[in-house]
Amino acid sequence: MAELSTRFLNMTLSSPLVVASGILGTSAPVMERCAIAGAGAVTSKSAGPEPRSGHANPVAVAWEGGVINAIGLTNPGCHEEVAILTEAKARLAKLGGKLFASIFAPTVEAFGEVARVTAQSEPELIEVNISCPNVASEFGTPFSACAPDAAAVTRSVKQALAGSGIPISVKLAPNVPNLSVIAKACVAEGADAITAINTVPGMLIDPWAGKPVLCNRSGGLSGPAIKPVALRCVYELAAALGPSVPIIGTGGVSSGLDAAEMILAGATLIGVGSVMVAEGPDALTRINAELSDYMDQMGYASLDDFRGKALP
């Protein structure tokens, strides 16, 4: 039978599947269910420096190609989040699961402070969500759109975590012209891994009401529709960064074959998100089984046997 355990940075995960940030929140019981269902790690919903109530409803809608949402980074603030993360980690540890904590902030300095506070819960990894507006920028351009800004955030977080032993993965956005340049800038400042990708900006309009469906007008598209975009990004990054920088391939994975494609493109871990809106954590069990079946059919004993095989 195929071996799904995966070596990632300084840890071994029971499965390459990682629950993506924002899908099921940060509730410890829900995270526990995900680990039981087969997640190697669970990523918390992004937390920032202060509590945020997020956007007014409607904030999310199922669409034929996935889900489009504009939640608005709802969170209790990083100080309140620490207790939630600590409980989640304790529950996951009993099941062999890992906790990845996602953070965001409005300034470079705030990213460092949020990372410092979040580290108190001792997650196995901190995922740095840089697809948020830089309020210090004249136009509020997201940190993910600019290599110097992305690098500055990475440097701030690494400095804040110095001595903690907690690695970081920087989560990149797909709607940039220079993805590899941005990734290399983050790695140069100490990023241990890269998460690719965040959601793709999009919009739905109600033709009968004559206005956008989401209260925020536009939002982030996830699900099957973005899988080709995510695959292209993972492939590009794996080719540019090489095998020494692990990639968490995220975007549109809803089957074992989707997961296999991510591995073939060079991903080390595979983020799973929107499929659980319809199926719940049981989707993880199914995807793991389908991935294992694929490996058996292809004669692959481990994920290392075909990781990056599609690369030139």
Side-chain angles (χ1 to χ4, degrees), residues 130-172:
I130 61 173
S131 294
C132 43
N134 177 2
V135 298
S137 166
E138 181 180 359
F139 301 106
T141 304
F143 295 98
S144 58
C146 171
D149 286 351
V153 169
T154 305
R155 182 166 58 252
S156 177
V157 171
K158 289 297 288 188
Q159 289 174 349
L161 296 176
S164 70
I166 301 173
I168 72 168
S169 181
V170 179
K171 190 173 188 178
L172 302 183

Side-chain angles (χ1 to χ4, degrees), residues 36 41 49 58 61 114 179 237 247 312:
I36 293 171
V61 60
V114 174
L179 184 65
L237 292 172
I247 298 169

Side-chain angles (χ1 to χ4, degrees), residues 11 30 58 78 107 149 162 170 172 220 249 262 278:
M11 64 195 91
V30 173
C78 60
T107 67
D149 286 351
V170 179
L172 302 183
M262 282 291 184

Side-chain angles (χ1 to χ4, degrees), residues 212-224:
V213 172
L214 297 177
C215 185
N216 191 59
R217 297 183 294 281
S218 64
L221 177 65
S222 60

